[in-house]
Amino acid sequence: IVDDCLYNIIHEIVLETHRSEKLLRMQSAATIAEQAAIAEHTENSSVVKGSQPSQPPSIKIDTPAAVYDNGRVTLRGNPLKTTPEIICQYCKLPRLMYPISGVGSQMPDLSKQYCTRYPFVSKSGHDIYNNPFPTDMAKSKKERELMKRAEKDNTPGSQEGANDADGLSKLNTGGKPAHYIPWHTCPNCKRSLLITRFAQHAEKCLGISGRQSSRNAMAKINSSS
């Protein structure tokens, strides 16, 4: 019974993955055919380049994966074989097939522009969007500035490495670095404090903790009743 259950679970996972991948390739084949038809229609007419026509072009275009005929797209062959990459149906840009860092990462072609819907990242100390977890929350401002200077001094000076870093920074979905901790301004004294220390400061500055605050709350309850 256990073997049958495991077989059914694995079979459903594989089947669902295969179906979703095939649907993405089918949509990509249709998107490529539509884009080719729009480009052909733009060249042969007075439509402004880069703008979308109000109606589907009334032409016929053949692509390796699909046939566009007067606004109707017909697939040709197996999309898993005829469509090598996935094209986003919204932004019309290719999607990354592998994450840019972490488990299973591969270096993409930095000369291309990709869809901003990147694959999820599996990396220690990072979330699925490649945002690092704060690791040095106890460090002071001077210590963080020294760390930034050390990182700048240790940066390699090769032009090729700098270009790769710039290209990856454009693809990187992560937000702030790991040593970044957000700040917040106190509405009472207008001091800027770390978010990790703001609650403790607000209790004292706004008088929302301690015995006096509980007495004030009880007085308000008694007066309202």
Side-chain angles (χ1 to χ4, degrees):
I1 297 176
V2 176
D3 293 340
D4 293 339
C5 291
L6 291 176
Y7 175 81
N8 292 333
I9 293 173
I10 295 174
H11 180 268
E12 290 180 0
I13 293 174
V14 173
L15 187 63
E16 182 65 26
T17 303
H18 180 270
R19 184 184 292 111
S20 60
E21 183 71 16
K22 193 170 184 178
L23 286 174
L24 287 175
R25 299 297 177 97
M26 292 168 63
Q27 294 175 356
S28 301
T31 302
I32 293 173
E34 290 176 356
Q35 289 297 105
I38 292 174
E40 183 72 17
H41 178 70
T42 303
E43 292 180 358
N44 298 333
S45 63
S46 59
V47 179
V48 179
K49 188 175 182 180
S51 62
Q52 295 291 334
S54 58
Q55 295 181 354
S58 299
I59 58 177
K60 184 176 181 180
I61 294 292
D62 291 343
T63 62
V67 177
Y68 180 92
D69 189 5
N70 296 330
R72 187 173 182 177
V73 179
T74 305
L75 296 179
R76 174 185 292 174
N78 186 1
L80 294 175
K81 295 181 179 180
T82 58
T83 309
E85 60 182 1
I86 297 175
I87 306 297
C88 179
Q89 59 179 335
Y90 302 106
C91 64
K92 315 301 181 184
L93 295 175
R95 287 184 181 175
L96 287 174
M97 305 296 292
Y98 304 95
I100 59 176
S101 62
V103 179
S105 62
Q106 292 188 13
M107 178 66 69
D109 186 3
L110 300 179
S111 61
K112 293 183 179 180
Q113 185 180 2
Y114 295 95
C115 174
T116 55
R117 188 176 180 181
Y118 301 132
F120 290 153
V121 174
S122 177
K123 186 177 180 181
S124 177
H126 294 69
D127 60 8
I128 59 175
Y129 302 107
N130 203 27
N131 291 313
F133 301 139
T135 55
D136 54 350
M137 301 181 68
K139 293 184 181 296
S140 63
K141 185 176 181 180
K142 292 183 178 179
E143 291 175 341
R144 292 194 298 272
E145 290 178 353
L146 291 175
M147 289 178 60
K148 290 182 180 179
R149 292 178 183 175
E151 290 177 358
K152 291 181 179 179
D153 295 339
N154 295 331
T155 302
S158 62
Q159 186 67 24
E160 183 178 357
N163 293 335
D164 292 343
D166 293 340
L168 286 177
S169 63
K170 295 179 181 179
L171 296 175
N172 191 8
T173 58
K176 299 293 184 179
H179 56 264
Y180 173 80
I181 303 175
W183 296 72
H184 192 69
T185 303
C186 178
N188 187 31
C189 64
K190 306 302 180 183
R191 287 181 57 189
S192 297
L193 301 163
L194 290 174
I195 198 67
T196 55
R197 302 174 183 174
F198 181 76
Q200 183 180 3
H201 170 80
E203 290 178 354
K204 298 179 180 179
C205 187
L206 301 178
I208 56 178
S209 66
R211 296 181 179 179
Q212 187 62 34
S213 62
S214 61
R215 292 171 184 170
N216 295 337
M218 290 298 297
K220 289 182 180 179
I221 294 174
N222 295 331
S223 61
S224 61
S225 60

